Amino acid sequence: MSGSDHDFLSRARPGVQKLSPYQPGKPVEELQRELGLSRVVKLASNENPLGPSPRALAAVQQALLNPLELARYPDGNGYVLKSAIERRFGWAMDRITLGNGSNDVLELVARAFLGEGDDAVFSQHAFAVYPLAVQAVGARGIEVPARDFGHDLEAMAAAITPATKVVFVANPNNPTGTWFEADDFRRFMARVPSHVIVVLDEAYGEFVDDAAALNGFDLLDEHANLVVSRTFAKAYGLAALRVGYAVSSPAVCNLLNRVRQPFNVNSLALVAAAAALEDDAFVQRSRALNAAGREQLLTALADMGLQAMPSRGNFLCVDMGRPAMALFQALLQEGVIVRPVANYGLPQHLRISIGLAEENAFAISALQRVLARADAAESPAGAGA
Ligand SMILES: *Cc1c(COP(=O)(O)O)cnc(C)c1O
């Protein structure tokens, strides 16, 4: 019997059988190859348009001066990065879990706490990795309806069952850009049973420019069940290197590290992230560029009669007022890659990452052409413009 005679699908675990893989943004090179376009602008994956932190880049270049290090396994404890995090935020190393991207950390939580018969709670329109990670380990996801596209924390607390072991929340959330206030989150934490793990995903925290905004680190000492995750992929510009981390109580950290691969973060990522943490100037520049680009896009979108959700991230979730997939395809033809979010239950929206000013302008003019063509195609022939 040849391997192809097996029905491997039916042999996979039930949760895995029903999984549909995470859909990444289309790579620039692929689109260029397919369409022979001279310019492609990718505003699809919330990457930093400034590139990596210069300090991180210098640290990687320095590390490569000793190429033997690439032949060795990385430090499985991530000492250099953990001590940089400790220096920066004061967290002892026994509270820090490093991940191959913060995505990895989210999966560590699922693997450490969830299995068949367990529940995990997350919001409608929340980051796609939460349902994926939950389903992959055979647990049941409870999706709580959003309120104004954002997390309804009261409803989420009420949705917790005796079988609930983990709640995932994102602040700001991707793909909506929505956020919740510190007071609302404190009330939420007071309602969540203290044996239920709450993952507060702050992947876009560095872009938030409001002193009164929720900072998950402020609540960690009050709540042993709180896990705050952060990433170097977004504001620090290190998406390709894959590095993120969680801070939690030592007890939870210990459990996360039991299921972690021994060498989950590579050595270049470790040195880059440690250097990036000290690059305040770069994060400030990224935040300012993002704020200006957000205004630029919001103004242009409003001129086109389009509305975006209020966003604290480095992206906008825009209501196109019609099924968005055709517009996404038409934008590709123009060399602009954005993100359709139908898989997030938002079939009329497109998520547009905020780029450099000229990238935003390129995307806006492409969108104007695409919408003009779509309007013309919809209006009856001869009815004029
Ligand atoms: C991008 C993102 C992450 C994870 O990014 P990594 O590259 O894995 O660090 C986590 N949460 C949200 C909400 C994100 O948008």
Side-chain angles (χ1 to χ4, degrees):
M1 186 186 217
S2 77
S4 60
D5 292 335
H6 290 296
D7 175 11
F8 286 114
L9 180 64
S10 72
R11 294 184 62 78
R13 295 179 38 238
V16 176
Q17 288 183 26
K18 287 183 246 118
L19 273 181
S20 32
Y22 180 84
Q23 296 165 10
K26 210 176 174 63
V28 170
E29 292 74 18
E30 189 180 318
L31 187 65
Q32 253 162 349
R33 229 173 16 242
E34 280 175 10
L35 298 180
L37 294 163
S38 56
R39 181 167 190 205
V40 170
V41 166
K42 185 187 180 204
L43 300 175
S45 300
N46 303 344
E47 294 144 338
N48 194 324
L50 292 172
S53 140
R55 285 201 187 203
L57 187 59
V60 168
Q61 282 163 339
Q62 181 69 31
L64 286 174
L65 295 179
N66 183 5
L68 267 185
E69 283 300 309
L70 288 188
R72 298 190 194 286
Y73 283 99
D75 172 8
N77 283 319
Y79 179 83
V80 168
L81 178 52
K82 282 186 192 167
S83 45
I85 293 169
E86 180 170 28
R87 248 194 329 278
R88 179 76 218 225
F89 298 113
W91 302 117
M93 292 197 201
D94 66 350
R95 304 187 66 168
I96 303 167
T97 306
L98 301 183
N100 184 36
S102 60
N103 201 324
D104 190 21
V105 169
L106 302 173
E107 286 187 20
L108 296 182
V109 173
R111 287 227 304 286
F113 290 98
L114 297 171
E116 311 279 341
D118 298 326
D119 290 349
V121 171
F122 44 79
S123 173
Q124 182 188 19
H125 312 313
F127 188 41
V129 166
Y130 312 149
L132 284 180
V134 169
Q135 207 179 316
V137 295
R140 181 175 75 121
I142 299 177
E143 185 184 282
V144 178
R147 195 175 58 194
D148 296 334
F149 297 110
H151 290 25
D152 183 343
L153 291 180
E154 282 181 37
M156 291 183 77
I160 291 170
T161 74
T164 301
K165 287 191 169 167
V166 181
V167 181
F168 291 97
V169 293
N171 191 55
N173 180 48
N174 170 22
T176 57
T178 51
W179 67 92
F180 36 83
E181 305 296 344
D183 283 349
D184 294 329
F185 186 68
R186 283 181 188 279
R187 265 193 295 278
F188 168 77
M189 286 305 293
R191 273 189 74 181
V192 174
S194 58
H195 58 267
V196 173
I197 298 290
V198 175
V199 178
L200 173 59
D201 181 343
E202 295 188 329
Y204 300 96
E206 293 83 2
F207 291 107
V208 177
D209 204 359
D210 175 356
L214 169 64
N215 178 344
F217 283 179
D218 295 341
L219 280 83
L220 277 168
D221 283 333
E222 294 162 51
H223 299 282
N225 58 331
L226 181 61
V227 177
V228 177
S229 71
R230 296 199 175 175
T231 181
F232 291 94
K234 308 283 162 56
Y236 296 100
L238 299 175
L241 287 182
R242 314 301 306 125
V243 52
Y245 64 101
V247 185
S248 66
S249 57
V252 169
C253 179
N254 179 292
L255 291 164
L256 299 182
N257 277 283
R258 291 184 194 192
V259 293
R260 185 176 65 78
Q261 283 183 41
F263 305 108
N264 64 331
V265 184
N266 73 77
S267 46
L268 296 179
L270 289 172
V271 296
L277 258 192
E278 321 222 305
D279 203 344
D280 284 327
F282 180 74
V283 172
Q284 245 171 50
R285 205 145 58 85
S286 302
R287 191 186 300 122
L289 179 83
N290 189 58
R294 183 194 284 137
E295 287 314 306
Q296 177 193 7
L297 281 170
L298 283 173
T299 304
L301 290 167
D303 286 347
M304 285 183 251
L306 297 176
Q307 251 207 336
M309 297 179 199
S311 170
R312 281 192 167 177
N314 62 346
F315 54 87
L316 291 171
C317 198
V318 186
D319 185 354
M320 308 309 295
R322 64 184 97 204
M325 197 49 94
L327 294 175
F328 161 72
Q329 295 290 351
L331 283 169
L332 284 182
Q333 303 293 319
E334 299 280 335
V336 175
I337 315 176
V338 297
R339 185 68 74 96
V341 281
N343 57 327
Y344 285 91
L346 298 165
Q348 303 226 16
H349 287 75
L350 290 175
R351 192 193 67 194
I352 306 176
S353 303
I354 299 167
L356 300 172
E358 68 260 28
E359 292 175 325
N360 299 333
F362 186 82
I364 289 160
S365 72
L367 189 55
Q368 282 165 340
R369 287 191 297 279
V370 160
L371 284 173
R373 280 204 299 273
D375 286 342
E378 269 171 29
S379 60

